[in-house]
């Protein structure tokens, strides 16, 4: 089944990831939020692990085009497609981390502009709305 996903960060004009179509291995039209998060993480980990880990003799600078560098630095991470860690990602560990991050309020999930707040909440996938993931950042400060 194909779903549409957008990733945003509060206070930023540009989305971190514009709308993308993701293929998840699920056939039914109803799904819980927890199972949906697990399937999205599984798809992303499989895509990451499928990338080639080519070692380069020389670290050539890969210069981004247009305004891309500003968008990368706004997200807090500037990367140019090079993978330096040769370790494959663990699907189950990544799924546990995603569920824990949702429970801890590290990100919010919206479907058709309606916030999904409970992992056991059932979602009807028969309507082709976009899922929006918003990364929440916390303010840090001092009392003195």
């Amino acid at each position: 089944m194909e779903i549409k996903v957008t990733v945003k960060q509060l206070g930023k004009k540009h989305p971190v990831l514009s709308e993308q179509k993701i293929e998840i291995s699920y056939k039914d039209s109803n799904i819980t939020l927890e199972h949906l998060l697990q399937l999205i993480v599984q798809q992303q980990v499989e895509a990451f692990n499928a990338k080639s880990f080519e070692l380069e003799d020389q670290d050539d600078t890969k210069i981004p085009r247009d305004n891309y560098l500003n968008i990368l630095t706004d997200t807090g991470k500037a990367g140019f497609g090079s993978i330096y860690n040769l370790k494959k990602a663990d699907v189950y560990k990544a799924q546990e981390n995603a569920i824990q991050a949702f429970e801890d309020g590290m990100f919010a999930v919206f479907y058709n502009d309606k916030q999904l707040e409970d992992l056991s909440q059932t979602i009807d996938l028969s309507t082709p709305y976009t899922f929006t993931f918003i990364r929440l950042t916390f303010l840090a400060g001092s009392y003195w």
Side-chain angles (χ1 to χ4, degrees):
M1 173 175 285
E2 189 175 83
I3 60 170
K4 293 184 280 185
V5 174
T6 300
V7 178
K8 295 184 178 182
Q9 183 175 355
L10 290 178
K12 302 293 180 186
K13 291 181 183 179
H14 304 287
V16 176
L17 292 176
S18 58
E19 185 175 290
Q20 295 181 341
K21 293 182 180 180
I22 294 178
E23 186 70 32
I24 58 172
S25 55
Y26 195 74
K27 301 295 180 205
D28 198 9
S29 62
N30 291 325
I31 189 171
T32 64
L33 177 58
E34 181 174 11
H35 192 63
L36 176 73
L37 290 175
Q38 290 172 342
L39 289 174
I40 290 173
V41 168
Q42 177 183 351
Q43 186 275 337
Q44 292 294 300
V45 167
E46 288 171 355
F48 174 80
N49 286 341
K51 289 182 182 178
S52 70
F53 294 98
E54 296 178 7
L55 295 176
E56 298 175 355
D57 294 337
Q58 192 173 349
D59 191 12
D60 296 326
T61 305
K62 298 177 175 83
I63 300 172
R65 289 182 233 137
D66 299 333
N67 202 13
Y68 190 62
L69 186 59
N70 292 335
I71 294 170
L72 286 175
T73 55
D74 283 346
T75 64
K77 180 180 180 182
F80 303 105
S82 297
I83 299 173
Y84 298 104
N85 186 357
L86 302 179
K87 202 165 137 182
K88 299 280 187 182
D90 181 15
V91 174
Y92 301 109
K93 183 72 173 160
Q95 288 172 334
E96 288 175 7
N97 287 342
I99 298 300
Q100 187 65 50
F102 180 81
E103 290 174 342
D104 291 345
M106 301 299 288
F107 66 93
V109 180
F110 291 84
Y111 186 58
N112 190 25
D113 297 331
K114 180 182 174 218
Q115 184 173 1
L116 304 173
E117 298 176 349
D118 187 17
L119 288 172
S120 61
Q121 188 172 353
T122 303
I123 305 162
D124 182 16
L125 295 177
S126 62
T127 53
Y129 298 124
T130 301
F131 285 94
T132 304
F133 291 83
I134 299 179
R135 188 176 105 192
L136 304 174
T137 55
F138 298 97
L139 300 175
S142 171
Y143 290 110
W144 38 71

